[in-house]
Amino acid sequence: MSVVLFTSDLRLHDNPVLTAALRSAPRVVPLFVVDSGIAAAGFAVPNRAAFLADCLASLDEGLRARGGRLVVRSGEVVAETCRVAAATGAGEVHVAAGVSGYALRREERLRSALAADGRRLRVHDAVVTAVPPGAVLPAGKDHFAVFTPYFRRWSAEPLRPVLPAPRAVRLPGVDSEPLPAAAALARGTASPALPRGGESEGRRRLAAWQRGGLARYADRHDDLAGDATSRLSPHLHFGSLSPVELVASARERAAAGCAGAAAFVRQLAWRDFHHQMLAARPDAAHRDYRPRHDRWREAPAELAAWRSGLTGYPLVDAAMRRLAHEGWMHNRARLIAASFLTKTLYLDWRDGARHFLDLLVDGDVADNQLNWQWVAGTGSDTRPHRVLNPLAQADRFDPDGAYVRRWVPELAGVPGRAVHRPWRLPARERARLDYPEPVVSLEEGLTRFRQARGLT
Ligand SMILES: Cc1cc2nc3c(=O)[nH]c(=O)nc-3n(C[C@H](O)[C@H](O)[C@H](O)COP(=O)(O)OP(=O)(O)OC[C@H]3O[C@@H](n4cnc5c(N)ncnc54)[C@H](O)[C@@H]3O)c2cc1C
């Protein structure tokens, strides 16, 4: 008997944790623990809860189709797992290797609690990332701090084989709580237009992406209104799709000359890059990875304006309102919104990262915190003081203003690029718009930031 503890690997296809458990024992307990520690850490939020509930339902359906089902428990994850292992007489518990401080502590606690009972924890790599943290290293260091050399080594690293979904899963007698509904996983109201979660939905999206958008990804991934990216990030976060499977198939297409696939592989490598940074420096979730001696401003009204999409900079506001509506934001928009908060307003990246984590369906400690640090210049960016000008970015990535008109309805009637600079409209037209003045001038923001970083 063995237990599979599902964490960030909520899938049947290409799941080394499940495959290993099934190889080692004729009967397995596919277990998910609704972990009270995650809620206590403030990480259980309505948008991700909705996606998680879909993932658990899809996993249960897939297991039932194979003769099994998902066993659900709620409580403290280590205690519940040990309880299930003891009740079923399981000798081993299988789990995916994680990278966050929380996951690493969970692993340690599980290992010792199981060992105290004469049971064994088996931890599996290349489940949550394509290339495991630490698999490629610079000479004499425990992780890569710069993306380009990492990407070179990562690209040459072979992947483990992609595994099929099991044909049958047989369970011992064990009881389960009912599958949790989203409302039971987090308190609060979810965004109105969330994507659906779950492995079946993820596989459908992946197939559509490979048939459609992927080929043109290199040219179109920065087009804000075109929305031409994969939207697979929440599936990667919850593991309803496998990063190894995605990278393997994209590498194959790239080798066959598909430029879109080559660009897509590079983005997937960024994901692994941030995971290996966090695995080596778990405190980078909260502490500056490279301190710049910032003394961030305190400006609650400006932070509130940024959060609610009322900064007076239409592109920033469009991005923030979409986040509230869909629990998702385009990568280019994330860069612009984060640069605006940290460099133009000069507010602490942790406040921005917290707001993103409260809403993003793909909200992920490694990807979110380390991207925020990259933008703030406290992370791995080799040009830490670069400031994205939201107007130049708007002209480049939303050239006819379609993205802004979609997400800022007050400006829907403003034609062309004028929508990016409503303050330049004739006074009479301007007065008719129910839209705020810029919260700060870009020049003032830039001067303040450059002074703060000692660049002037
Ligand atoms: C400030 C900020 C915060 C972010 N927070 C998160 C987060 O919490 N969770 C998250 O998954 N991504 C985060 N990202 C990265 C990126 O914006 C999203 O992964 C991407 O927008 C998801 O959309 P997609 O699946 O359509 O991406 P695609 O363009 O289709 O890319 C494919 C996949 O590559 C990965 N990827 C792409 N860009 C990055 C990147 N810069 N860093 C890491 N992985 C990347 C994602 O897994 C993504 O699904 C953040 C970026 C910034 C600038």
Side-chain angles (χ1 to χ4, degrees):
M1 211 76 77
S2 63
V3 173
V4 176
L5 176 61
F6 284 101
T7 54
S8 302
D9 56 335
L10 304 176
R11 61 175 181 269
L12 300 179
H13 291 83
D14 193 43
N15 190 335
V17 184
L18 179 62
T19 304
L22 287 165
R23 277 188 193 143
S24 72
R27 282 172 197 267
V28 302
V29 184
L31 174 67
F32 184 82
V33 179
V34 179
D35 181 1
S36 53
I38 292 193
F43 208 68
V45 297
N47 286 355
R48 282 193 299 283
F51 202 92
L52 173 60
D54 289 349
C55 287
L56 298 177
S58 178
L59 191 56
D60 184 55
E61 196 180 296
L63 287 163
R64 283 181 192 272
R66 291 162 175 83
R69 79 196 145 94
L70 187 64
V71 172
V72 178
R73 295 289 170 94
S74 340
E76 200 284 306
V77 63
V78 172
E80 290 304 320
T81 307
C82 290
R83 202 165 291 150
V84 169
T88 54
E92 291 184 337
V93 173
H94 295 255
V95 70
V99 300
S100 65
Y102 188 84
L104 297 173
R105 283 192 299 278
R106 176 179 63 200
E107 197 175 298
E108 266 324 297
R109 289 192 298 120
L110 255 178
R111 183 175 288 110
S112 53
L114 288 167
D117 242 4
R119 302 176 213 283
R120 197 170 140 214
L121 181 70
R122 287 185 53 193
V123 179
H124 300 274
D125 275 333
V127 182
V128 169
T129 56
V131 171
V136 291
L137 289 174
K141 305 241 167 75
D142 66 352
H143 69 290
F144 275 94
V146 177
F147 178 72
T148 307
Y150 174 76
F151 182 53
R152 215 173 293 127
R153 291 280 302 283
W154 179 95
S155 300
E157 187 67 10
L159 301 171
R160 62 162 177 77
V162 174
L163 303 163
R167 287 223 190 93
V169 177
R170 293 199 305 145
L171 261 71
V174 53
D175 35 276
S176 169
E177 296 170 17
L179 284 178
L185 294 169
R187 263 191 245 126
T189 310
S191 295
L194 293 176
R196 267 203 300 140
E199 183 171 17
S200 323
E201 171 64 13
R203 298 199 74 74
R204 192 196 58 72
R205 238 179 214 280
L206 173 60
W209 170 246
Q210 288 172 335
R211 274 195 313 273
L214 178 63
R216 298 178 60 203
Y217 181 75
D219 307 326
R220 300 199 52 214
H221 72 275
D222 263 333
D223 170 3
L224 281 167
D227 249 347
T229 64
S230 71
R231 308 283 305 250
L232 295 176
S233 51
H235 292 284
L236 286 162
H237 171 69
F238 285 96
S240 42
L241 286 176
S242 149
V244 167
E245 186 182 354
L246 259 70
V247 172
S249 68
R251 275 188 183 174
E252 222 171 82
R253 286 173 160 82
C258 173
F264 188 60
V265 166
R266 190 181 166 85
Q267 290 314 111
L268 292 167
W270 270 106
R271 186 174 175 275
D272 279 8
F273 173 69
H274 288 137
H275 279 70
Q276 59 95 43
M277 276 178 79
L278 189 68
R281 297 282 180 280
D283 66 346
H286 309 288
R287 296 236 311 255
D288 290 352
Y289 177 80
R290 286 192 202 289
R292 305 283 176 202
H293 311 294
D294 288 301
R295 297 178 62 176
W296 305 103
R297 293 169 63 237
E298 297 270 341
E302 291 175 26
L303 180 61
W306 177 82
R307 281 196 187 123
S308 33
L310 291 169
T311 66
Y313 286 93
L315 190 64
V316 174
D317 293 343
M320 299 306 293
R321 293 185 194 189
R322 183 185 202 172
L323 174 64
H325 191 72
E326 291 190 355
W328 188 81
M329 205 194 269
H330 189 286
N331 181 58
R332 174 59 47 185
R334 295 187 203 205
L335 291 166
I336 296 163
S339 172
F340 188 81
L341 185 84
T342 56
K343 289 178 166 164
T344 304
L345 298 181
Y346 198 51
L347 298 180
D348 195 332
W349 65 265
R350 279 157 280 250
D351 290 331
R354 180 69 254 169
H355 181 67
F356 270 34
L357 280 185
D358 284 346
L359 289 172
L360 281 173
V361 178
D362 64 24
D364 182 277
V365 173
D367 288 324
N368 192 59
Q369 309 305 87
L370 289 164
N371 268 298
W372 268 96
Q373 293 232 41
W374 189 92
V375 176
T378 57
S380 64
D381 189 2
T382 49
R383 288 171 54 206
H385 309 306
R386 78 171 96 192
V387 179
L388 297 184
N389 178 320
L391 301 180
Q393 294 279 311
D395 291 340
R396 191 158 165 215
F397 300 112
D398 186 30
D400 58 8
Y403 177 76
V404 163
R405 276 190 293 278
R406 190 183 309 154
W407 293 104
V408 186
E410 306 95 289
L411 302 177
V414 182
R417 278 185 192 197
V419 78
H420 293 309
R421 297 167 179 79
W423 54 87
R424 285 203 192 149
L425 292 169
R428 275 219 340 261
E429 271 178 57
R430 174 102 191 83
R432 278 203 298 269
L433 299 173
D434 182 21
Y435 185 70
E437 292 295 321
V439 67
V440 65
S441 87
L442 295 182
E443 296 69 31
E444 185 187 331
L446 188 61
T447 309
R448 177 172 60 204
F449 175 70
R450 292 180 62 80
Q451 274 170 0
R453 286 276 167 99
L455 305 172
T456 47

